[in-house]
Amino acid sequence: MITREQRRAQAAFRKIKQAQGSAQPEAYGRQCLHLPALIHQCGLCQALTFLEAKAPKKPECGQLLADILEAAGIGSTANVRDAEVTAYQRMTRDALACAQWFKRYAEAILRVEAGGDEGSN
């Protein structure tokens, strides 16, 4: 039997491995590092809207948005915006748990570090 946490870890691992083969894995990894804090400080809806707003100029933000929605099983940003309080809280917990795995794998696989500048990996 696979636990919920194992499913989250597996989903994040797959997405990070895909990002590793992308054009800018470091940029994607940096966004992964900031995502848990962004969700925690601003709330899930604002964090997702931030990624959505940045996506046209920063493709890594759009990719991370799609990846976190899929990994957390949320579906779409509209589901978050339209959710009742208890559903929103569950989505937030699920997304935050997934974001932690994205952060861990970004550090381990993509070799991005917190506090790194734009030129470092």
Side-chain angles (χ1 to χ4, degrees), residues 1-2 6 9 42-43 56 58 64 67 69 73 76 78 86 92 95-96 99 101 108:
M1 182 169 165
I2 296 176
Q6 287 173 315
C42 300
K58 293 185 173 186
L64 182 56
D67 291 349
L69 288 171
S76 71
T86 55
T92 300
L96 191 53
W101 281 108

Short mmCIF file of all heavy atoms in Angstrom, two decimals, residues 1-2 6 9 42-43 56 58 64 67 69 73 76 78 86 92 95-96 99 101 108:
data_model
loop_
_atom_site.label_atom_id
_atom_site.label_comp_id
_atom_site.label_asym_id
_atom_site.label_seq_id
_atom_site.Cartn_x
_atom_site.Cartn_y
_atom_site.Cartn_z
N MET A 1 0.84 -1.19 0.00
CA MET A 1 0.00 0.00 0.00
C MET A 1 0.88 1.24 0.00
O MET A 1 1.80 1.37 0.80
CB MET A 1 -0.90 -0.02 1.23
CG MET A 1 -1.83 1.12 1.31
SD MET A 1 -3.00 0.75 2.63
CE MET A 1 -3.67 2.31 2.89
N ILE A 2 0.60 2.14 -0.89
CA ILE A 2 1.37 3.38 -1.00
C ILE A 2 0.66 4.47 -0.22
O ILE A 2 -0.54 4.68 -0.38
CB ILE A 2 1.52 3.79 -2.48
CG1 ILE A 2 2.35 2.75 -3.22
CG2 ILE A 2 2.18 5.15 -2.59
CD1 ILE A 2 2.47 3.01 -4.69
N GLN A 6 3.93 9.16 0.04
CA GLN A 6 4.73 8.52 -1.00
C GLN A 6 4.25 8.93 -2.39
O GLN A 6 5.07 9.15 -3.29
CB GLN A 6 4.65 6.99 -0.86
CG GLN A 6 5.44 6.45 0.31
CD GLN A 6 5.20 4.97 0.51
OE1 GLN A 6 4.05 4.51 0.47
NE2 GLN A 6 6.27 4.24 0.74
N ALA A 9 5.59 12.38 -3.02
CA ALA A 9 7.02 12.32 -3.29
C ALA A 9 7.29 11.81 -4.71
O ALA A 9 8.13 12.35 -5.42
CB ALA A 9 7.73 11.44 -2.27
N CYS A 42 1.33 33.62 1.97
CA CYS A 42 0.29 34.34 1.21
C CYS A 42 -1.02 33.57 1.08
O CYS A 42 -2.04 34.17 0.77
CB CYS A 42 0.80 34.65 -0.19
SG CYS A 42 2.27 35.68 -0.21
N GLY A 43 -0.96 32.28 1.24
CA GLY A 43 -2.14 31.46 1.00
C GLY A 43 -2.06 30.82 -0.37
O GLY A 43 -1.35 31.30 -1.25
N PRO A 56 3.59 34.15 -18.33
CA PRO A 56 3.88 34.60 -19.69
C PRO A 56 5.34 35.00 -19.92
O PRO A 56 5.89 34.77 -21.00
CB PRO A 56 2.95 35.81 -19.87
CG PRO A 56 1.83 35.56 -18.92
CD PRO A 56 2.47 34.89 -17.74
N LYS A 58 7.91 34.15 -17.62
CA LYS A 58 8.78 33.15 -17.00
C LYS A 58 8.13 31.78 -17.15
O LYS A 58 7.32 31.38 -16.32
CB LYS A 58 8.99 33.47 -15.51
CG LYS A 58 9.77 34.73 -15.27
CD LYS A 58 10.04 34.88 -13.78
CE LYS A 58 10.97 36.05 -13.53
NZ LYS A 58 11.36 36.12 -12.11
N LEU A 64 5.70 25.17 -13.20
CA LEU A 64 5.54 24.82 -11.79
C LEU A 64 4.07 24.89 -11.37
O LEU A 64 3.60 24.04 -10.62
CB LEU A 64 6.39 25.73 -10.89
CG LEU A 64 6.33 25.43 -9.40
CD1 LEU A 64 6.71 23.98 -9.10
CD2 LEU A 64 7.23 26.39 -8.63
N ASP A 67 2.50 21.78 -12.63
CA ASP A 67 3.03 20.63 -11.89
C ASP A 67 2.46 20.52 -10.49
O ASP A 67 2.09 19.44 -10.04
CB ASP A 67 4.56 20.69 -11.83
CG ASP A 67 5.22 20.47 -13.18
OD1 ASP A 67 4.52 20.06 -14.14
OD2 ASP A 67 6.43 20.72 -13.29
N LEU A 69 -0.37 21.82 -9.36
CA LEU A 69 -1.80 21.51 -9.45
C LEU A 69 -2.02 20.03 -9.69
O LEU A 69 -2.89 19.41 -9.08
CB LEU A 69 -2.45 22.34 -10.57
CG LEU A 69 -2.62 23.83 -10.31
CD1 LEU A 69 -3.08 24.55 -11.58
CD2 LEU A 69 -3.58 24.09 -9.17
N GLY A 73 -3.29 17.19 -6.91
CA GLY A 73 -4.63 16.72 -7.26
C GLY A 73 -5.69 17.80 -7.19
O GLY A 73 -6.86 17.52 -6.97
N SER A 76 -7.30 22.67 -11.10
CA SER A 76 -7.13 23.99 -11.72
C SER A 76 -7.18 25.09 -10.66
O SER A 76 -7.65 24.85 -9.55
CB SER A 76 -8.23 24.24 -12.76
OG SER A 76 -9.47 24.44 -12.12
N ALA A 78 -9.12 27.54 -10.80
CA ALA A 78 -10.54 27.85 -10.59
C ALA A 78 -11.11 27.02 -9.44
O ALA A 78 -11.93 27.51 -8.66
CB ALA A 78 -11.34 27.61 -11.87
N THR A 86 -13.52 24.50 3.97
CA THR A 86 -12.87 23.24 4.34
C THR A 86 -12.12 22.62 3.16
O THR A 86 -11.04 22.06 3.34
CB THR A 86 -13.89 22.23 4.91
OG1 THR A 86 -14.94 22.05 3.97
CG2 THR A 86 -14.45 22.70 6.23
N THR A 92 -4.91 23.47 0.42
CA THR A 92 -3.71 24.16 0.90
C THR A 92 -2.76 23.17 1.57
O THR A 92 -1.55 23.19 1.30
CB THR A 92 -4.07 25.29 1.88
OG1 THR A 92 -4.91 26.23 1.19
CG2 THR A 92 -2.84 26.00 2.40
N ALA A 95 -1.25 20.96 -1.22
CA ALA A 95 -0.29 21.70 -2.04
C ALA A 95 0.98 22.02 -1.27
O ALA A 95 2.09 21.94 -1.82
CB ALA A 95 -0.93 22.99 -2.56
N LEU A 96 0.85 22.37 -0.01
CA LEU A 96 2.02 22.67 0.81
C LEU A 96 2.88 21.42 1.00
O LEU A 96 4.11 21.49 0.92
CB LEU A 96 1.59 23.24 2.16
CG LEU A 96 2.66 23.86 3.03
CD1 LEU A 96 3.47 24.91 2.29
CD2 LEU A 96 2.03 24.46 4.27
N ALA A 99 4.61 20.87 -2.26
CA ALA A 99 5.63 21.90 -2.46
C ALA A 99 6.90 21.59 -1.67
O ALA A 99 8.02 21.87 -2.13
CB ALA A 99 5.08 23.27 -2.08
N TRP A 101 8.06 18.61 -1.09
CA TRP A 101 8.78 17.61 -1.87
C TRP A 101 9.45 18.23 -3.09
O TRP A 101 10.58 17.87 -3.43
CB TRP A 101 7.83 16.48 -2.30
CG TRP A 101 7.58 15.52 -1.19
CD1 TRP A 101 6.42 15.37 -0.48
CD2 TRP A 101 8.51 14.60 -0.63
NE1 TRP A 101 6.59 14.40 0.48
CE2 TRP A 101 7.86 13.91 0.41
CE3 TRP A 101 9.84 14.29 -0.90
CZ2 TRP A 101 8.49 12.93 1.16
CZ3 TRP A 101 10.47 13.32 -0.15
CH2 TRP A 101 9.80 12.64 0.87
N ALA A 108 18.16 18.52 -4.17
CA ALA A 108 18.92 17.28 -4.34
C ALA A 108 19.25 16.96 -5.80
O ALA A 108 20.38 16.57 -6.10
CB ALA A 108 18.15 16.11 -3.73
#
